[in-house]
């Protein structure tokens, strides 16, 4: 029971005040439930939720209390959907990713939560040694995606109104993402090991992962081949990256070969060609093209190594032209 002064203020606010003033008044007097119900009853815009309820809640350490009330008023959270999405966007703009992740978990918005975990994994890492220490995020991505798949398969049998605010994704896409995470785990373990053992030679400004665009994925494939003890060691993982994402394999192999020429590792180029030929999916001239790309770019390959590379060519015509 509130005193008469409180009632007077409330009467005045309801008569003359804005919705934000009313909501802020409720919040100041620890009447969060009333603030939320007022917001819903007036169908207030999401800015009002952010400014009047959400910001004061997390700044005052009452986010859990807010979440509990949202769930109590509407267990399915549907009536809060537009407000919760707005809160997520606000947190993203502010770079408050830890609060965002907590909110996404509360919302059971597993696909978006997985995307936030990807950011936690990749953001700010300067080496694969660092990424090696962040692999728990990869496990969390998988957990979110698996839970999402379970929920989708459970709800598909029931005739109920589809949830409107949680991000949707086809089962095929989810499975593909899970596969990407598995492959990224392998890449991370491999490159972490290479960095630890000192075989790693590449330094780049940005750290490529399989969560980037195709160019970045190609960089991952190159990195894996070049950073092992030899080409063969990383070829298997690189080959799977190329296959899974249907990348331009010849471009990647040529890029690797050029790096090997720069490092004067000519025998490794021959090993690369052997791996490519044995992979079973190389086109007839792939090996030749890799060598030709190298020869066109570098004129200073020692004669003996040059002869060896030319001998490795399949086409006599290419051999003669060189």
């Amino acid at each position: 029971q509130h005193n008469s002064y409180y009632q007077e203020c409330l009467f005045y606010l309801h008569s003359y005040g804005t919705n934000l003033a009313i909501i802020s008044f409720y919040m100041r007097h620890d009447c969060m439930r009333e603030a939320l119900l007022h917001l819903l009853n007036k169908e207030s815009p999401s800015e009002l939720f952010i400014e009047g309820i959400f910001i004061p809640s997390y700044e005052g350490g009452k986010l859990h209390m807010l979440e509990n009330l949202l769930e109590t008023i509407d267990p399915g959270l549907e009536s809060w959907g537009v407000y919760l999405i707005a809160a997520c966007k606000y947190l993203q703009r502010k770079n408050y990713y830890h609060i965002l992740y907590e909110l996404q978990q509360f919302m059971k918005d597993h696909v978006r939560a997985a995307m936030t975990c990807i950011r936690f994994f990749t953001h700010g890492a300067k080496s694969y040694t660092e990424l090696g220490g962040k692999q728990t995020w990869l496990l969390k991505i998988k957990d979110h995606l698996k839970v999402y798949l379970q929920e989708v398969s459970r709800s598909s049998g029931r005739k109920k109104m589809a949830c409107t605010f949680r991000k949707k994704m086809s089962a095929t896409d989810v499975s593909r993402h899970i596969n990407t995470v598995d492959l990224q785990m392998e890449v991370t373990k491999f490159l972490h090991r290479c960095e630890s053992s000192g075989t790693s030679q590449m330094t780049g400004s940005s750290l490529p992962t399989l969560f980037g665009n195709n160019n970045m994925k190609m960089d991952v494939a190159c990195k894996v081949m070049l950073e092992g003890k030899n080409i063969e060691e990383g070829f298997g993982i690189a080959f799977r990256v190329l296959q899974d994402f249907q990348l331009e394999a010849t471009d990647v192999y040529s890029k690797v070969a050029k790096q090997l020429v720069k490092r004067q590792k000519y025998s490794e180029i021959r090993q690369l060609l052997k791996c490519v030929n044995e992979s079973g999916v190389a086109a007839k001239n792939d090996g030749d093209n890799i060598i030709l790309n190298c020869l066109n770019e570098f004129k200073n390959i020692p004669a003996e190594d040059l002869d060896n590379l030319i001998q490795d060519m399949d086409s006599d015509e290419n051999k003669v032209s060189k």
Side-chain angles (χ1 to χ4, degrees):
Q1 278 296 310
H2 291 285
N3 59 28
S4 55
Y5 173 69
Y6 172 88
Q7 298 297 344
E8 283 288 324
C9 290
L10 212 48
F11 173 77
Y12 175 81
L13 282 168
H14 275 287
S15 303
Y16 309 107
T18 62
N19 283 326
L20 179 59
I22 295 166
I23 285 169
S24 299
F25 178 81
Y26 279 134
M27 291 295 286
R28 275 199 308 279
H29 288 83
D30 292 327
C31 300
M32 195 187 282
R33 183 187 172 84
E34 286 79 355
L36 286 167
L37 290 172
H38 183 84
L39 181 90
L40 267 192
N41 291 337
K42 298 292 180 186
E43 296 179 353
S44 302
S46 49
E47 297 81 50
L48 222 78
F49 172 72
I50 303 291
E51 198 180 331
I53 299 175
F54 186 71
I55 293 174
S57 294
Y58 80 72
E59 284 183 349
K62 293 181 178 175
L63 194 56
H64 283 299
M65 184 179 165
L66 171 62
E67 289 172 351
N68 289 337
L69 279 169
L70 293 174
E71 216 163 21
T72 307
I73 296 167
D74 178 3
L77 300 178
E78 275 301 319
S79 38
W80 305 116
V82 65
Y83 298 119
L84 288 167
I85 292 296
C88 288
K89 285 178 180 168
Y90 167 81
L91 292 169
Q92 211 164 353
R93 277 199 308 276
K94 288 282 190 182
N95 285 331
Y96 294 163
Y97 282 94
H98 287 92
I99 304 173
L100 172 66
Y101 182 51
E102 177 172 331
L103 191 61
Q104 287 167 334
Q105 289 179 93
F106 161 72
M107 291 160 67
K108 296 185 173 59
D109 195 349
H110 292 292
V111 174
R112 286 194 182 97
M115 290 156 86
T116 304
C117 291
I118 290 175
R119 189 190 183 277
F120 282 134
F121 175 71
T122 55
H123 187 69
K126 297 281 187 288
S127 69
Y128 260 90
T129 305
E130 276 182 54
L131 286 184
K134 296 168 90 174
Q135 286 187 82
T136 46
W137 289 114
L138 293 176
L139 296 171
K140 285 183 178 177
I141 298 167
K142 273 182 77 170
D143 288 343
H144 284 300
L145 294 176
K146 282 177 176 173
V147 171
Y148 176 77
L149 277 182
Q150 286 164 2
E151 288 185 357
V152 167
S153 63
R154 267 207 306 272
S155 62
S156 61
R158 287 188 242 135
K159 279 194 174 177
K160 62 167 193 163
M161 199 182 85
C163 172
T164 49
F165 66 90
R166 295 180 185 98
K167 190 168 176 64
K168 292 176 182 59
M169 194 179 271
S170 72
T172 317
D173 282 348
V174 174
S175 300
R176 208 175 65 240
H177 284 303
I178 290 173
N179 188 47
T180 300
V181 174
D182 284 335
L183 201 45
Q184 181 62 53
M185 276 179 146
E186 277 194 62
V187 167
T188 306
K189 282 174 185 152
F190 179 78
L191 290 175
H192 181 193
R193 200 171 67 240
C194 293
E195 285 181 5
S196 305
S197 65
T199 57
S200 170
Q201 295 182 34
M202 287 180 83
T203 50
S205 51
S206 68
L207 198 62
T209 70
L210 298 177
F211 300 119
N213 58 21
N214 276 359
N215 283 340
M216 196 185 261
K217 290 180 178 109
M218 287 164 90
D219 287 346
V220 171
C222 290
K223 198 171 171 66
V224 167
M225 280 189 268
L226 288 165
E227 296 217 0
K229 288 197 290 288
N230 51 43
I231 288 293
E232 206 168 353
E233 193 187 19
F235 187 84
I237 297 174
F239 182 71
R240 276 177 53 208
V241 170
L242 297 174
Q243 290 290 99
D244 282 10
F245 299 106
Q246 298 176 331
L247 302 172
E248 281 297 330
T250 314
D251 290 355
V252 173
Y253 297 143
S254 296
K255 215 170 166 183
V256 170
K258 284 172 188 174
Q259 280 294 325
L260 293 171
V261 173
K262 274 185 186 168
R263 297 177 189 180
Q264 300 183 341
K265 291 187 168 180
Y266 305 110
S267 61
E268 290 281 301
I269 298 175
R270 301 185 73 187
Q271 194 181 44
L272 171 65
L273 295 171
K274 181 171 169 282
C275 289
V276 171
N277 289 329
E278 287 173 359
S279 68
V281 293
K284 189 176 185 310
N285 285 329
D286 276 1
D288 285 15
N289 289 334
I290 294 165
I291 296 171
L292 289 170
N293 282 337
C294 278
L295 300 184
N296 290 338
E297 187 144 325
F298 301 99
K299 307 298 179 195
N300 54 351
I301 299 175
E304 189 184 336
D305 295 302
L306 187 60
D307 283 347
N308 287 336
L309 286 174
I310 291 172
Q311 288 312 311
D312 280 341
M313 286 187 175
D314 291 325
S315 153
D316 290 335
E317 192 182 321
N318 284 334
K319 287 181 187 177
V320 172
S321 69
K322 283 291 141 192

